[in-house]
């Protein structure tokens, strides 16, 4: 695949970016595109995105990326070999029966469900939840958000046919269908870290069942005919389900071997290591206080994170 090219899409909290890479993993700089959008916040802890802003940003970045690629002297003349996507973890979007968004995107930063997170820490307790899911009982994750929505917006909660990450919805709009990768599923706080299935008792506690969630699979899809007319380079290219941005950080930096850690500083900061060994048969998936997500169905991602890292860096650079 010496002449192959690959499309990368990064759906972030404040912007979406896209670019084309060659077979050596080198980014074709002229194909880089970025579209920003506002994070909607308020004093009560609100931190939302408009789904339409994300959809528009993906379309516009791809338009810019392919416009540049078609003009580029370094353009690879083959079609795109594959599409890879990364997306911010933990965020929640509700779709109706026709796959249309009927809620905003509740991002990982939305803390209005902090009372529900506190309730989960009391019952069933944070340690048992962490032991099964690798996630703490905090406002960042889906269980607290679902309990909060069920309590504060019961009519809307009942209208939702499926709960998805924004990346799943984006893939569905481009490919006609989507599944949730092991990586994105592990960031919800609803995945059993040993069976790699949705944790049924926790789903019941949150007022849903597995039919309200996409199937867990790393299998790829293909771009729909409607989008293929505008982007013929993508025809036949496998579109892989999004992975969490933290997983992408380790994979992209080569921090996938034992003893090699990736340190990432963005809106938040984290230190993460990839583990290929199976999780222990008993006990916690990770030391209490750390997270244990999935890279795929074979590898785990262990680490810890702090918030406001990007703001701290910006403040330091400005002073």
């Amino acid at each position: 695949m010496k002449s192959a090219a690959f499309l990368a899409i990064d759906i972030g909290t404040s912007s979406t970016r896209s670019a084309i890479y060659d077979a050596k993993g080198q980014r074709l700089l002229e194909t880089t595109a970025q579209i920003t959008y506002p994070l909607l916040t308020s004093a009560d802890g609100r931190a939302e995105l408009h789904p339409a802003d994300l959809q528009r940003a993906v379309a516009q970045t791809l338009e810019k990326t392919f416009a540049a690629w078609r003009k580029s002297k370094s353009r690879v003349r083959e079609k795109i070999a594959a599409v890879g996507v990364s997306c911010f973890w933990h965020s929640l979007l509700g779709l109706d029966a026709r796959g249309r968004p009927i809620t905003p995107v509740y991002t990982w930063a939305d803390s209005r469900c902090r009372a529900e997170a506190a309730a989960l820490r009391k019952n069933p307790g944070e340690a048992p939840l962490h032991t099964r899911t690798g996630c703490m009982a905090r406002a960042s994750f889906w269980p607290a958000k679902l309990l909060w929505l069920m309590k504060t917006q019961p009519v809307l909660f009942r209208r939702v046919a499926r709960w998805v990450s924004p990346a799943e919805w984006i893939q569905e709009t481009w490919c006609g269908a989507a599944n949730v990768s092991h990586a994105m599923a592990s960031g919800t706080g609803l995945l059993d870290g040993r069976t790699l299935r949705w944790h049924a008792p926790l789903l019941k506690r949150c007022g849903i069942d597995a039919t309200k969630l996409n199937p867990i699979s790393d299998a790829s899809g293909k771009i729909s005919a409607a989008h293929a007319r505008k982007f013929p380079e993508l025809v036949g290219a496998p579109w892989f389900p999004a992975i969490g941005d933290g997983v992408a950080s380790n994979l992209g930096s080569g921090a996938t071997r034992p003893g090699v850690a990736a340190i990432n500083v963005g809106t938040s900061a984290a230190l993460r290591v990839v583990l290929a060994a199976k999780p222990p048969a008993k006990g916690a998936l990770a030391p209490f206080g750390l997270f244990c997500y999935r890279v795929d169905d074979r590898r785990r991602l262990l680490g810890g994170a702090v918030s406001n890292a990007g703001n701290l860096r910006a403040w330091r650079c400005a002073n």
Side-chain angles (χ1 to χ4, degrees):
M1 300 182 68
K2 292 182 179 180
S3 59
F6 302 87
L7 173 64
I9 305 170
D10 175 43
I11 304 171
T13 308
S14 57
S15 70
T16 287
R17 293 168 289 184
S18 62
I20 292 174
Y21 289 73
D22 65 20
K24 294 181 179 179
Q26 299 298 312
R27 177 162 54 104
L28 305 180
L29 294 179
E30 66 272 22
T31 68
T32 304
Q34 182 175 17
I35 298 293
T36 62
Y37 32 76
L39 180 66
L40 308 174
T41 62
S42 57
D44 62 352
R46 176 192 183 209
E48 299 175 347
L49 291 169
H50 281 315
D53 287 343
L54 293 182
Q55 187 180 57
R56 188 180 308 110
V58 171
Q60 290 178 352
T61 56
L62 295 194
E63 288 170 2
K64 292 184 176 183
T65 287
F66 279 102
W69 193 52
R70 289 161 186 163
K71 297 176 182 178
S72 173
K73 293 181 179 179
S74 60
R75 172 184 172 182
V76 179
R77 303 215 174 263
E78 304 296 330
K79 292 181 179 178
I80 297 297
V83 180
V85 183
S86 70
C87 182
F88 53 95
W89 252 326
H90 319 313
S91 297
L92 178 67
L93 173 65
L95 306 179
D96 67 13
R98 297 177 62 181
R100 300 173 301 190
I102 56 174
T103 75
V105 175
Y106 303 104
T107 72
W108 57 272
D110 197 304
S111 61
R112 289 173 290 179
C113 58
R114 49 191 175 272
E116 286 70 25
L120 286 169
R121 290 195 289 274
K122 292 182 179 180
N123 180 26
E126 190 160 42
L129 283 178
H130 181 258
T131 295
R132 296 300 298 182
T133 67
C135 299
M136 308 294 285
R138 304 300 165 94
S140 302
F141 301 105
W142 286 22
K145 286 183 168 63
L146 290 169
L147 289 170
W148 170 69
L149 288 166
M150 182 168 54
K151 176 183 177 181
T152 61
Q153 301 188 62
V155 175
L156 175 63
F157 186 86
R158 289 192 296 269
R159 284 184 59 207
V160 172
R162 272 183 301 131
W163 297 99
V164 300
S165 67
E168 292 165 63
W169 173 64
I170 292 294
Q171 183 179 4
E172 191 168 320
T173 62
W174 281 76
C175 300
N179 37 270
V180 56
S181 69
H182 287 86
M184 290 302 291
S186 69
T188 64
L190 294 171
L191 183 73
D192 188 309
R194 290 188 176 81
T195 66
L196 301 187
R197 298 177 182 175
W198 298 119
H199 188 44
L202 189 53
L203 297 187
K204 185 177 181 181
R205 171 73 182 273
C206 294
I208 64 172
D209 58 35
T211 64
K212 295 275 190 176
L213 304 170
N214 277 336
I216 302 168
S217 171
D218 294 328
S220 61
K222 299 288 179 65
I223 190 173
S224 68
H227 286 95
R229 287 192 290 270
K230 192 168 186 179
F231 301 99
E233 297 91 344
L234 293 176
V235 173
W239 182 304
F240 288 94
I243 59 175
D245 49 3
V247 169
S249 177
N250 276 67
L251 296 179
S253 62
T256 59
R257 302 184 303 278
V260 180
I263 299 175
N264 179 268
V265 178
T267 306
S268 59
L271 187 149
R272 311 176 181 95
V273 294
V274 172
L275 302 176
K278 291 183 178 180
K282 295 182 180 180
L285 298 170
F288 190 73
L290 301 183
F291 56 70
C292 184
Y293 304 140
R294 302 296 305 195
V295 176
D296 48 36
D297 60 351
R298 296 176 293 106
R299 295 173 292 178
R300 292 176 289 150
L301 188 74
L302 179 69
V306 295
S307 61
N308 286 326
N311 290 340
L312 177 62
R313 181 181 184 277
W315 170 79
R316 180 64 185 87
C317 292
N319 294 275

